[in-house]
Amino acid sequence: ECVVVDPEIRGGVPVLNGTRMTIAQIIGEVADGRSVLELSEAFELDEAKLRNLFEGMAIQFDRSFAK
């Protein structure tokens, strides 16, 4: 529910729900050293939504993808 993929928004690139901010942009900002709080303030994003995004990614990547 945090991520939207819609061809009408940024050509279908995954974005944070309710924004045009791509997930790749968010990850890049964190990689550059920004905190979730800094991101939420700098880009006027919902801090709770950002935290849910990272929690969801952690859950998804904490499982085997091997077949």
Side-chain angles (χ1 to χ4, degrees), residues 8-54:
E8 299 295 317
I9 303 170
R10 303 289 303 257
V13 174
V15 297
L16 188 66
N17 190 7
T19 75
R20 293 182 56 79
M21 182 89 166
T22 68
I23 302 307
Q25 284 177 286
I26 292 169
I27 293 170
E29 292 290 338
V30 171
D32 283 343
R34 284 198 189 222
S35 70
V36 170
L37 179 59
E38 289 172 326
L39 270 174
S40 70
E41 291 174 349
F43 297 101
E44 298 180 2
L45 301 171
D46 183 318
E47 183 180 358
K49 196 178 289 187
L50 286 169
R51 291 193 184 283
N52 287 339
L53 169 68
F54 284 106

Side-chain angles (χ1 to χ4, degrees), residues 55-67:
E55 181 180 348
M57 288 191 321
I59 290 168
Q60 287 300 312
F61 288 117
D62 192 31
R63 63 183 177 93
S64 175
F65 288 90
K67 290 185 177 190

